[in-house]
Amino acid sequence: MTPLQKVAMGLVLTLADPEIAGYDAVPDVLGWVLVVLGLRGLGGRVGLSTLMPLALLSGVVSLGLIRFEWLEVLPESTGWLLSLPQLAFSWVLCGEAAAVVGPDLARRFRGLRWAFLVAAVGPVLLYGGGVDVLLVPLAVIAVAANLYLVYLLFRASTEVHDARPGRPRS
């Protein structure tokens, strides 16, 4: 498994939320551990100075989300706030990936950054401005962006793995 595939599989684990007796059967923190392991393998190919702290912060935040009942008592705006580290991680990851892949995938990663930006700032209008009509579109954008990111990471994994560390792709 390439390092980028580890990152992608870790993100899959953060997206899966099967419930058993009120608990997350696949705690997101396990996914973040896999993401961190994948990032460690990418050293020299992508900049880790921002990615690693965001991954670690996302993992720490996810510890508080293991019990679903905790989420049920939180205001929706707090749930959005707790998702910001993961959204920021995904946004930065797209930028780093775009720098080390070919032009077609780079364009896709750069475009995907916009979806994560909308998912991160859109709830300000939803919760702060009371624009309730944005609830479903923002949820769809967030889910679709995460799924597309996983897909792109798998697509790019061989390309990034085959590139020499420390040498950006032309």
Side-chain angles (χ1 to χ4, degrees):
M1 181 180 287
T2 68
L4 210 52
Q5 288 172 337
K6 286 180 186 174
V7 173
M9 282 307 300
L11 291 176
V12 166
L13 293 179
T14 68
L15 298 174
D17 286 326
E19 180 181 345
I20 296 179
Y23 290 90
D24 188 351
V26 183
D28 293 355
V29 71
L30 297 177
W32 287 110
V33 167
L34 195 52
V35 167
V36 167
L37 292 173
L39 289 176
R40 289 184 59 212
L42 288 171
R45 291 183 180 95
V46 298
L48 299 179
S49 62
T50 305
L51 279 173
M52 193 62 81
L54 285 171
L56 293 171
L57 177 60
S58 296
V60 169
V61 168
S62 73
L63 286 172
L65 307 177
I66 291 175
R67 292 199 57 188
F68 287 125
E69 69 184 36
W70 294 340
L71 286 173
E72 293 169 3
V73 298
L74 291 175
E76 290 177 351
S77 58
T78 303
W80 160 70
L81 185 64
L82 293 173
S83 73
L84 285 177
Q86 181 169 355
L87 291 168
F89 171 84
S90 298
W91 187 82
V92 172
L93 179 61
C94 285
E96 291 293 332
V100 295
V101 296
D104 179 52
L105 284 175
R107 180 181 49 77
R108 293 176 187 212
F109 277 115
R110 284 192 302 271
L112 187 55
R113 288 181 83 178
W114 285 101
F116 285 112
L117 185 62
V118 167
V121 300
V124 172
L125 291 173
L126 175 66
Y127 301 121
V131 186
D132 294 336
V133 71
L134 293 178
L135 180 63
V136 172
L138 286 173
V140 169
I141 288 170
V143 170
N146 280 297
L147 292 174
Y148 192 51
L149 175 59
V150 168
Y151 167 76
L152 286 179
L153 291 173
F154 276 112
R155 277 272 318 268
S157 65
T158 305
E159 192 174 321
V160 172
H161 179 68
D162 292 342
R164 283 197 202 162
R167 297 185 115 185
R169 300 217 15 120
S170 49

